[in-house]
């Protein structure tokens, strides 16, 4: 734009000189060229920083103060690099998934999203450090996030990484990434640990462990069942033994003789010939009685 302004002004001067001999059309062209050159020069000195952006002006290699959103008048030789102050998503998945190792050496794959943005007041420092928004993400946010994620997972077991401590690991990761990037002028608004999956080898180890645990549980349950059955049989045997002991203590010879006589009376009513194992007198001598004879 500035070069166009110079060319238009030069053209205006040439047309004006040529039009001094009376050419009215040349003079009008000179005026129009001069007006266009002035307008082009004004636009070359105006730079608009969009909403939710911050600009870093550089004039002949010298970095100036950051430009906030709005219209700014700068030197036509000034180049303005803009940085977005809106949160930007850095997605670490698919080909960029983070490969981590647990404290036990198991390999896990973590899908993470880091939401970050440039702090306007630190835009100049970030420009000097990285140069562009893409470079900030690649050299600072991505590199530091990967390092923090690996360090956090290295302090936990494989089971904690993919199951029991997912929330804790996510919170630790977010806190450490914020702490790492804040001094550099990068505001991390959120770190989402979206998914953690074990490697194929680790998954095989997990499945084998689950099978072993299930087999152990079945063996323990079988042992409990056998123990319970043995205890039940012991209790039954003790009950029978106590019952027999009570019966043995309560059955005297006289009681047995009386029970035998009762059986004799029943047999006498039902059969004409019968045996009396307890005898017919107090001696208890067994006899055979024919009830059909007088």
């Amino acid at each position: 734009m500035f070069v166009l302004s110079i060319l238009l002004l030069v053209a205006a001067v040439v047309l004006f000189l040529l039009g001094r001999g009376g050419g009215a059309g040349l003079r009008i062209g000179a005026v129009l060229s001069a007006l266009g050159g002035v307008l082009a020069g004004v636009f070359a000195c105006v730079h608009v920083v969009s909403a939710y952006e911050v600009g870093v002006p550089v004039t002949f290699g010298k970095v100036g103060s950051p430009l906030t959103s709005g219209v700014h008048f700068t030197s036509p030789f000034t180049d303005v690099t803009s940085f977005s102050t809106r949160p930007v998503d850095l997605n670490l998945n698919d080909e960029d998934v983070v490969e981590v190792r647990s404290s036990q050496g198991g390999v896990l794959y973590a899908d993470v999203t880091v939401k970050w943005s440039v702090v306007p007041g630190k835009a100049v420092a970030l420009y000097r450090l990285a140069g562009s928004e893409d470079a900030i993400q690649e050299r600072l946010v991505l590199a530091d996030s990967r390092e923090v994620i690996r360090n956090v997972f290295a302090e936990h077991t494989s089971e904690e990484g993919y199951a029991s401590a997912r929330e804790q690991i996510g919170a630790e990761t977010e806190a450490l990434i914020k702490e790492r990037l804040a001094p550099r002028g990068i505001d991390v608004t959120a770190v989402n640990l979206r998914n953690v999956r074990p490697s194929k080898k680790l998954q095989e180890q997990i499945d084998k462990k689950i099978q072993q645990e299930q087999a152990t549980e079945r063996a323990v349950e079988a042992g409990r069942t056998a123990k319970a059955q043995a205890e039940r049989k012991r209790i039954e045997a003790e009950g029978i033994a106590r019952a027999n002991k009570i019966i043995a203590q309560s059955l005297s010879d006289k009681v047995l003789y009386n029970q035998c006589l009762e059986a004799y009376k029943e047999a006498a009513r039902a059969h004409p010939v019968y045996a009396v194992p307890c005898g017919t007198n107090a001696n208890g001598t067994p006899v055979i009685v024919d009830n059909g004879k007088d």
Side-chain angles (χ1 to χ4, degrees):
M1 187 66 73
F2 179 69
V3 174
L4 177 60
S5 173
I6 297 298
L7 292 176
L8 288 173
L9 291 175
V10 171
V13 172
V14 172
L15 291 174
F16 177 76
L17 293 176
L18 294 176
R20 285 191 303 177
L26 294 176
R27 288 197 298 269
I28 293 174
V31 172
L32 294 177
S33 295
L35 181 60
V38 171
L39 291 177
V42 171
F43 281 114
C45 296
V46 174
H47 185 85
V48 179
V49 179
S50 302
Y52 302 104
E53 287 188 352
V54 59
V56 177
V58 180
T59 306
F60 298 118
K62 183 178 180 181
V63 181
S65 300
L67 306 177
T68 57
S69 301
V71 179
H72 299 271
F73 289 95
T74 61
S75 167
F77 304 102
T78 299
D79 182 25
V80 178
T81 301
S82 297
F83 297 94
S84 176
T85 57
R86 284 192 179 99
V88 178
D89 287 351
L90 171 61
N91 294 314
L92 302 177
N93 54 16
D94 297 332
E95 295 181 356
D96 296 326
V97 67
V98 184
E99 179 179 321
V100 299
R101 289 186 178 273
S102 67
S103 59
Q104 300 167 322
V107 178
L108 302 166
Y109 299 101
D111 293 344
V112 184
T113 296
V114 181
K115 293 182 178 292
W116 66 277
S117 60
V118 172
V119 177
K122 297 293 186 67
V124 172
L126 286 172
Y127 176 82
R128 291 194 175 105
L129 189 61
S132 66
E133 188 170 314
D134 292 339
I136 292 173
Q137 176 167 290
E138 186 70 23
R139 295 171 54 187
L140 301 179
V141 182
L142 176 60
D144 287 0
S145 296
R146 283 182 176 276
E147 181 181 352
V148 169
I149 293 169
R150 291 191 178 105
N151 291 341
V152 172
F153 272 91
E155 297 177 356
H156 295 270
T157 64
S158 299
E159 182 181 357
E160 292 173 343
Y162 68 82
S164 60
R166 282 271 301 274
E167 292 185 2
Q168 178 185 349
I169 292 174
E172 292 178 2
T173 301
E174 180 173 354
L176 291 175
I177 291 178
K178 286 182 176 180
E179 182 181 349
R180 175 75 67 87
L181 296 177
R184 298 184 175 183
I186 300 173
D187 180 27
V188 178
T189 57
V191 176
N192 298 324
L193 182 59
R194 296 181 301 172
N195 185 35
V196 178
R197 64 183 184 278
S199 63
K200 183 178 180 180
K201 182 178 180 180
L202 180 59
Q203 185 64 57
E204 292 175 353
Q205 294 174 351
I206 293 171
D207 294 340
K208 183 177 180 180
K209 181 180 179 181
I210 292 174
Q211 292 175 358
Q212 291 175 346
E213 291 177 349
Q214 291 175 345
T216 301
E217 290 177 358
R218 288 194 295 268
V220 171
E221 185 63 26
R224 290 175 180 172
T225 302
K227 184 177 180 181
Q229 291 177 349
E231 182 67 14
R232 178 176 57 80
K233 291 180 179 180
R234 183 185 66 80
I235 294 173
E236 290 179 356
E238 289 179 353
I240 293 172
R242 285 196 297 268
N244 291 336
K245 183 177 180 180
I246 293 173
I247 292 173
Q249 292 175 350
S250 62
L251 292 178
S252 62
D253 293 340
K254 184 176 181 181
V255 171
L256 292 174
Y257 182 74
N258 289 333
Q259 290 181 349
C260 187
L261 290 179
E262 291 296 328
Y264 159 74
K265 293 177 182 180
E266 293 293 332
R269 287 193 292 267
H271 305 284
V273 179
Y274 52 89
V276 184
C278 55
T280 57
N281 52 35
N283 294 329
T285 303
V287 297
I288 297 177
V289 179
D290 185 358
N291 199 29
K293 296 181 178 180
D294 294 332

